[in-house]
Amino acid sequence: MTISAASRRGFLALAASGAALGLPRSGAAAIPNAPPLYITAPEPLPAFKFSDASGRPLTLTSFHGKFVLLNIWATWCIPCRKEMPTLDRLQAKLGGPHFQVVPVSIDSGGLVAVKKFYAEIKVERLGIFLDPSGSAMQVLGLEGIPTSFLIDPDGRQIGRETGGTVWDTPSVLKFLSHQISGRA
């Protein structure tokens, strides 16, 4: 069986994105107009509980009606530390009535650890959301962090990314703006 040059190029493009190998999409920038995360068929995420900084209990249904970029992270996670400023800038640029970044920390240190971290790296626009039990890891079937989910206004996962991502690049902003405006 011979493989055409076009097929080889297609495979190399997929491999560069990590898709052919089931790897995180950190190489997505190598493919023009590639979305910043794996696009999935719309499906509900399992329900899990977390809280805001005031201790108010929340679930994903608390954000019904808007696009959500749910990010599961921890202060001790090196890729998370690098990713968090980009999520803060993303929230500054796109956050509003139709979109919100929801970073849920699984730090056992809870609010104190996250507040200290936000102050250290100057996170100013993200809310604080907490899951100090780390139950999101098990409920969502995560193998590592950071892991992000793009959730549509109906509460269904439509994209997923494992590993650190730069969330405020022009291509990511264009992709997310297009998603939001298509449903807003």
Side-chain angles (χ1 to χ4, degrees):
M1 176 176 160
T2 60
I3 298 174
S4 71
S7 294
R8 244 189 327 267
R9 279 192 303 274
F11 173 77
L12 291 174
L14 283 173
S17 74
L21 304 173
L23 299 174
R25 290 283 317 252
S26 58
I31 301 173
N33 302 317
L37 63 172
Y38 287 118
I39 302 304
T40 62
E43 61 181 312
L45 277 174
F48 73 99
K49 296 178 183 176
F50 55 100
S51 65
D52 64 13
S54 66
R56 182 174 56 124
L58 299 170
T59 65
L60 291 174
T61 60
S62 306
F63 302 92
H64 188 79
K66 63 170 61 178
F67 279 91
V68 170
L69 184 65
L70 171 68
N71 180 268
I72 309 298
W73 72 286
T75 61
W76 45 263
C77 160
I78 301 296
C80 301
R81 294 180 72 86
K82 293 178 180 178
E83 178 180 59
M84 196 59 63
T86 73
L87 288 167
D88 190 49
R89 292 189 296 267
L90 175 64
Q91 178 65 27
K93 291 176 181 173
L94 295 183
H98 302 293
F99 178 79
Q100 183 171 351
V101 176
V102 178
V104 177
S105 166
I106 60 168
D107 282 276
S108 59
L111 183 60
V112 172
V114 175
K115 277 187 168 182
K116 180 181 176 194
F117 174 79
Y118 275 23
E120 283 175 12
I121 65 166
K122 299 181 180 23
V123 168
E124 300 171 351
R125 296 160 197 96
L126 294 176
I128 294 177
F129 302 96
L130 307 164
D131 174 21
S133 71
S135 67
M137 293 290 293
Q138 182 177 6
V139 171
L140 297 173
L142 304 183
E143 295 180 14
I145 56 171
T147 298
S148 299
F149 301 87
L150 182 59
I151 301 167
D152 73 10
D154 297 321
R156 300 172 303 180
Q157 172 188 313
I158 58 171
R160 181 178 178 145
E161 176 63 26
T162 302
T165 299
V166 179
W167 290 104
D168 63 337
T169 65
S171 62
V172 171
L173 291 168
K174 181 178 178 180
F175 170 80
L176 291 173
S177 294
H178 178 74
Q179 294 296 309
I180 296 164
S181 67
R183 290 286 303 263

